[in-house]
Amino acid sequence: MRRRRAALLTAVLASLVTGAAYPRGSDGPPPSATTSDQRGVVRGAAGPISGARVTLWRAGDDSRSGARELARTRSDSRGRFRIDHRVLKDPDDAVLYLTADASQAGRRAAGRTRPVRLVAVLSGGRHRPRVVLNERTTVAAGYALAQFTRGGEVAGRDPGLRNAAAVAHNLADVRDGGVARTLADAPNGDETSTLRAFNTLADILSACTAGGRCARLLELAARPGSPVPRETFQAVADIAALPGNNVAELYALADGRRTYRPRLGRAPDAWTLALRYVGNGHELDGPGNVAFDARGTAWIGNNYVFDDDPRNSVCGSRVLSRLTPTGRAVPGAPYRGGGLYGVGFGTAIDPRGRVWATNFGFQGAGCPIDAERFYRSVSEFGPGGRPLSPPLGWRQGKIVQPQGVLSDPDGNVWIANCGGRSVTRIPQGNARRARNIAPGGDRLVKPFGVAVDPRGRAWVSGNGSDSVMVLSARGKPLRSVTGGGIKRPMGVASDSRGNVWVANSGAVVAPCEGTTPAMVAEAVVDIETRHVDASVTMVRPDGSTPARPFVNDGLFLPWGVAVDGEDTVWVANFGGHRLANLCGVRESACPPGLRTGDPISPSDTGYTSDGLERNTAVQIDPSGNVWLANNWRDVPVQTNPGGHEMVVFVGLAAPVRTPLLGPPRPL
């Protein structure tokens, strides 16, 4: 009898090795023409995980509806599983993911507590006949889906959730549990520390899956004021959403663990994951700003013609880039025509999906073209990239060296004329009716950034007048706001309650009205520490300001500013390789104890990344990813000073409905 049992066991094991047999989903339907099967393996740092409850989920369509279980099974002695499930009627619209729940290694889970939850995202790419669930795939899912994960379940609105699921595949390859190509290869890979941070996070997770230190991991991952997560997937999502929390203590959990390499040699400033995106690899050169359309694709204007060599003189870019939410060039992009030339800080999308790009006339030293022929226009493109403006752009409204641009909800387009001390208003996007608005005198010098508040009023920063001009919804100048620390302001952004946030560079003189980019480079290249006047000012709806601006060492030549779906504030810096996050007026959305203007990011560094260079714009996409433009290189050689990447912090902010039409709207 014992020999028979031994022979039977040998036969079963042999079939598993060859892949001929997988355990079937105990609760799933029998295979048929209307069903499909998903196979895979559950594996931790210590090896295969047997007896894990593996569940296939369809994510909820919004935050009020939970995820729906489609099928479940258990992993066998080698961690393998097979789930049979019904084919969905709308597979392209669904976000599917797998969870594997198990007790920590070497212990039984008390009652129903199963602290180990490994996850793999299935949607966001082509069908994967076999998947691996491990610590890497769990970190990828936890970060990409951080803004859509509550209580270990995933739910959210389209396109934010669907795009977020696709971004998970930029971090981990669920086919083998390894590192995804986007993260592994240049311009990421060994060129930045993100790959090492990703692997270290996986090692931290393995302290629970293999080492039994689950209680400590869950305790450290918990966000202040929030419940302690019950399992590892929610723990990762909580770390991603507040990456500056318990940084060193979390790093210590990885001591002695070397499963995933390469890894960090010391604790970072924060547990952020920042990816560089380059589109087709030969189009981004001096990206100035980014605007997201209703599907979450990113439209980007460029300063210069692409050239890798900063010593080669380049002229103004004549292309408008468009990237997918995962950083790849949209088929057919980049787009040309419509008068594009050397776009700066101005890229915006109106309610009809039309794209507006301001032609500042940027070009490198030595370019033989006279920029004055081109810097008096704005270009307009249709939602599919077809140019709608004439070959020299729209020139009505006395446009001169335009920088910031934004559309309001009624389709009125507002343009800051950096070289003209004025604003151009295009009523309902009809460029032939454009009107120039000049407040007169020195009330608005070097207009740069534009914001629109909930009342439809336009707020325009005056970089040369240390002011912010307020205009009525129809364009009448109302007041000039000064004081409150406003000094050399660049970007401005409105929150949902009508407050306007101003990024005070303190030192950057906008390159217009007689100031050249070379002068800007000379002024900022030697600034090695945070400039004393770098700050952020909040202007209230009535035009008043606090007595002092908000200051912390996460601010270093502040340039761009954005507000997310929970009214927290994000600041891009032209120096210091850092992103700052401030508590906004909705203090309930901030960690307990913080007040308006307090830093959420580490106060002495901000969220740093060696993938950043000199950044101008910052914007939030519908998935909660924070995009920054690497506009200039650290040492901006003026023949071609442009940077070549968009840098995206994954899952860091509250998602925003796009396109951005004035103040942010939660997704």
Side-chain angles (χ1 to χ4, degrees), residues 191-216:
E191 294 187 9
T192 76
S193 60
T194 300
L195 172 59
R196 296 190 293 277
F198 176 74
N199 283 333
T200 307
L201 285 162
D203 267 346
I204 290 171
L205 201 57
S206 75
C208 171
T209 61
R213 303 176 70 181
C214 292
R216 183 61 172 158

Side-chain angles (χ1 to χ4, degrees), residues 32-405:
S32 72
T34 61
T35 65
S36 179
D37 70 315
Q38 178 65 64
R39 307 181 184 213
V41 61
V42 183
R43 182 184 302 130
I49 298 177
S50 63
R53 186 180 66 198
V54 182
T55 309
L56 176 65
W57 300 88
R58 174 173 180 161
D61 294 331
D62 58 56
S63 59
R64 297 182 301 275
S65 64
R68 180 159 60 94
E69 181 179 320
L70 300 180
R72 88 165 57 160
T73 188
R74 287 191 181 274
S75 60
D76 66 14
S77 60
R78 298 185 62 129
R80 296 186 174 191
F81 65 87
R82 168 178 166 177
I83 289 183
D84 296 315
H85 62 95
R86 297 186 185 278
V87 176
L88 298 176
K89 294 180 180 180
D90 53 353
D92 293 337
D93 295 329
V95 170
L96 303 181
Y97 64 101
L98 286 164
T99 62
D101 293 299
S103 60
Q104 61 196 80
R107 300 185 185 181
R108 285 185 176 273
R112 293 187 175 183
T113 302
R114 308 174 73 83
V116 174
R117 169 167 281 196
L118 301 179
V119 176
V121 177
L122 299 182
S123 56
R126 61 183 179 82
H127 175 68
R128 294 165 175 84
R130 184 178 182 274
V131 299
V132 172
L133 288 81
N134 67 4
E135 291 92 349
R136 273 180 172 150
T137 64
T138 305
V139 171
Y143 269 70
L145 301 174
Q147 299 297 326
F148 303 95
T149 302
R150 298 291 182 273
E153 289 192 13
V154 177
R157 296 182 60 179
D158 191 58
L161 175 59
R162 188 168 13 152
N163 293 347
V167 170
H169 298 292
N170 280 351
L171 296 170
D173 189 338
V174 298
R175 294 173 299 182
D176 59 8
V179 177
R181 179 175 294 180
T182 298
L183 176 57
D185 295 345
N188 297 295
D190 60 7
E191 294 187 9
T192 76
S193 60
T194 300
L195 172 59
R196 296 190 293 277
F198 176 74
N199 283 333
T200 307
L201 285 162
D203 267 346
I204 290 171
L205 201 57
S206 75
C208 171
T209 61
R213 303 176 70 181
C214 292
R216 183 61 172 158
L217 169 62
L218 301 182
E219 176 188 349
L220 292 173
R223 289 185 284 176
S226 298
V228 174
R230 295 183 177 182
E231 37 73 21
T232 51
F233 173 54
Q234 185 64 55
V236 173
D238 285 355
I239 294 170
L242 192 62
N245 188 38
N246 296 326
V247 176
E249 294 87 346
L250 284 165
Y251 180 80
L253 293 180
D255 282 351
R257 312 204 66 82
R258 296 290 187 273
T259 301
Y260 299 106
R261 298 188 179 185
R263 51 159 292 175
L264 296 173
R266 59 183 176 84
D269 298 316
W271 290 109
T272 57
L273 295 179
L275 292 171
R276 283 175 160 181
Y277 291 162
V278 295
N280 63 23
H282 50 84
E283 60 180 299
L284 297 180
D285 198 318
N289 211 329
V290 56
F292 301 101
D293 61 24
R295 290 185 290 171
T297 63
W299 297 75
I300 303 159
N302 293 279
N303 293 175
Y304 311 103
V305 172
F306 178 85
D307 193 312
D308 259 338
D309 192 340
R311 298 166 299 181
N312 293 339
S313 179
V314 294
C315 293
S317 173
R318 296 179 184 268
V319 303
L320 182 64
S321 299
R322 185 184 181 192
L323 306 186
T324 68
T326 57
R328 292 157 182 80
V330 170
Y335 309 115
R336 295 170 171 80
L340 277 173
Y341 190 81
V343 174
F345 195 58
T347 305
I349 299 176
D350 68 18
R352 296 167 60 184
R354 297 174 300 183
V355 184
W356 299 82
T358 55
N359 299 308
F360 181 80
F362 273 110
Q363 57 188 34
C367 172
I369 294 176
D370 180 3
E372 289 193 34
R373 295 168 47 201
F374 300 100
Y375 68 38
R376 300 177 185 274
S377 72
V378 63
S379 296
E380 179 188 6
F381 287 79
R386 182 173 66 89
L388 302 179
S389 49
L392 290 178
W394 295 117
R395 295 186 164 235
Q396 295 84 348
K398 297 182 180 178
I399 296 171
V400 182
Q401 289 184 299
Q403 284 281 13
V405 60

Side-chain angles (χ1 to χ4, degrees), residues 634-652:
D634 290 331
V635 180
V637 180
Q638 288 304 295
T639 47
N640 178 15
H644 299 294
E645 307 92 11
M646 299 298 297
V647 181
V648 180
F649 285 77
V650 178
L652 194 52

Side-chain angles (χ1 to χ4, degrees), residues 484-641:
I486 297 176
K487 183 174 182 180
R488 293 293 180 192
M490 305 299 286
V492 289
S494 171
D495 64 27
S496 67
R497 299 183 182 181
N499 304 288
V500 171
W501 296 79
V502 185
N504 300 308
S505 72
V508 177
V509 180
C512 59
E513 199 178 290
T515 302
T516 67
M519 295 175 185
V520 177
E522 184 178 357
V524 304
V525 75
D526 293 329
I527 297 176
E528 297 178 356
T529 59
R530 184 185 65 81
H531 193 276
V532 68
D533 292 322
S535 67
V536 171
T537 298
M538 184 189 75
V539 184
R540 302 183 185 98
D542 63 2
S544 64
T545 66
R548 291 178 303 215
F550 305 121
V551 177
N552 67 81
D553 283 334
L555 302 174
F556 193 129
L557 299 176
W559 193 298
V561 60
V563 179
D564 68 18
E566 291 184 343
D567 279 333
T568 65
V569 181
W570 300 84
V571 185
N573 294 280
F574 203 60
H577 306 135
R578 64 195 62 187
L579 165 70
N581 180 206
L582 308 182
C583 180
V585 293
R586 202 189 318 176
E587 294 177 354
S588 61
C590 306
L594 295 188
R595 298 292 178 260
T596 298
D598 288 345
I600 297 174
S601 52
S603 60
D604 55 347
T605 62
Y607 292 134
T608 62
S609 171
D610 51 7
L612 296 173
E613 293 183 304
R614 294 189 179 274
N615 303 115
T616 48
V618 58
Q619 300 291 351
I620 317 299
D621 74 12
S623 299
N625 303 309
V626 182
W627 293 57
L628 295 100
N630 268 355
N631 178 253
W632 267 13
R633 300 173 190 249
D634 290 331
V635 180
V637 180
Q638 288 304 295
T639 47
N640 178 15

